[in-house]
Amino acid sequence: MRKTARYASLAAAGLLALSSLTACANDAASSTADTGSGGGGGKGENVKIMVGGLDKVIYLPAMLTQRLGYFQAEGLNVQLLSEPAGVQAETALVSGQVQGAVGFYDHTLDLQVKGKSVESVVQFSHAPGEVEVVSNKAAGDLTSPKDFKGRKLGVTGLGSSTDFLTKYLAVKNGVNISQFTPVAVGAGPTFIAALQKGAIDGGMTTDPTVATILDKKAGKVLLDMRTPEGSQKALGGPYPSSSLYMQTDWVNGHKATVQKLANAFVKTLKWMATHSADEIAAKMPADYSQGDKALYAQSIKSTLPMFTDDGVMPQDGPATVEKVLKAFNPNIKNAEVDLSKTYTTEFVKAVK
């Protein structure tokens, strides 16, 4: 009971810190939507996009596109909103609160078997960008996913992509999903606090949280999936993760708008491919660096290999995602998934 109370207190404090961080991200999004360069002003078409953590490097193209003025250049007024986990961005999309979500592609498969038609229209990445870290205390005994049994492992949220990937790594390495405990700890301060206090033995997270953990010497890297090579080793192929996904009916009814979004995002991906991590970091809101510009730039540099430069779905990527989900998700394992309906390259291939 004492441990439970202690964790509840920890979680409350962490959530307060995360709420402050999210509020900063939302403020930054609102200000750039109103004052961003590149034209558009208040006369363009309004689009709301929910991001599963605006300050996460894996979703960096969302805010960077805003900061570069590319939405405005297309005549769009894009409002970026933030939730701490991708599963919450998914919920906002299917409930109609927003027109688009920036989150992991795997949600499109999960939603299809639940009767929701959602598709990725711009694929930002061909690797997860995720890292499994372990606390210093657990590092001696927790040396691979084979050691997940009996452990408390942090994920951003239950039903999130970090939850999906953790379960796959367990099953792939002979550990049943009932043999470990996933703990929803968000990212950033809440994740780090949980790791330091022993509320979790390890967990899956992204930069800049990873860079901060290593800088604080609060934990060690167990498994790195920030590169295509890391994705191949851990998951057996390319793993398309962060993307702009939207409800298929909305896409079909607003093709001109979706094309403008694709134009803006692909332009950003190409810009990222030709600029350094320091140059990218300099374009982002000042509070994203949390007072350490060098560490923030390093976190971007570590994650850059995950991104595509054209927004196109990587070949065999959807099949890898389906394989991962079928390994542990009974709903998908026993269902026929039409992968062709989970993404489209129509818009990114039309970008000039």
Side-chain angles (χ1 to χ4, degrees), residues 50 62 102-103 219 274:
M50 184 66 78
V102 169
T274 56

Side-chain angles (χ1 to χ4, degrees), residues 235-246:
L235 306 173
Y239 197 92
S241 56
S242 56
S243 64
L244 170 68
Y245 63 87
M246 313 178 89

Side-chain angles (χ1 to χ4, degrees), residues 7 10 29 31 36 49 54 62 72 76 116 147-148 172 181 183 189-190 203 238 241 249 265 313 318 325 329:
Y7 178 60
L10 165 70
S31 63
I49 298 176
L54 261 174
Q72 294 89 342
L76 298 173
K116 305 288 185 182
D147 302 321
F148 281 179
K172 181 188 176 186
T181 304
V183 183
T190 49
S241 56
D249 285 347
F265 277 125
M313 177 65 73
L325 296 182
N329 188 321

Side-chain angles (χ1 to χ4, degrees), residues 182-236:
V183 183
V185 292
T190 49
F191 187 102
I192 296 167
L195 194 70
Q196 290 177 317
K197 299 296 184 181
I200 55 175
D201 300 302
M204 192 171 293
T205 191
T206 61
D207 277 312
T209 306
V210 176
T212 304
I213 289 169
L214 297 179
D215 184 61
K216 289 177 176 288
K217 296 180 171 52
K220 300 175 181 178
V221 172
L222 178 69
L223 195 149
D224 193 338
M225 294 180 286
R226 289 176 291 190
T227 66
E229 295 77 17
S231 177
Q232 179 72 42
K233 183 178 180 180
L235 306 173

Side-chain angles (χ1 to χ4, degrees), residues 249-263:
D249 285 347
W250 199 91
V251 171
N252 292 337
H254 301 79
K255 289 199 171 188
T257 303
V258 177
Q259 186 62 60
K260 291 176 182 178
L261 288 167
N263 294 345

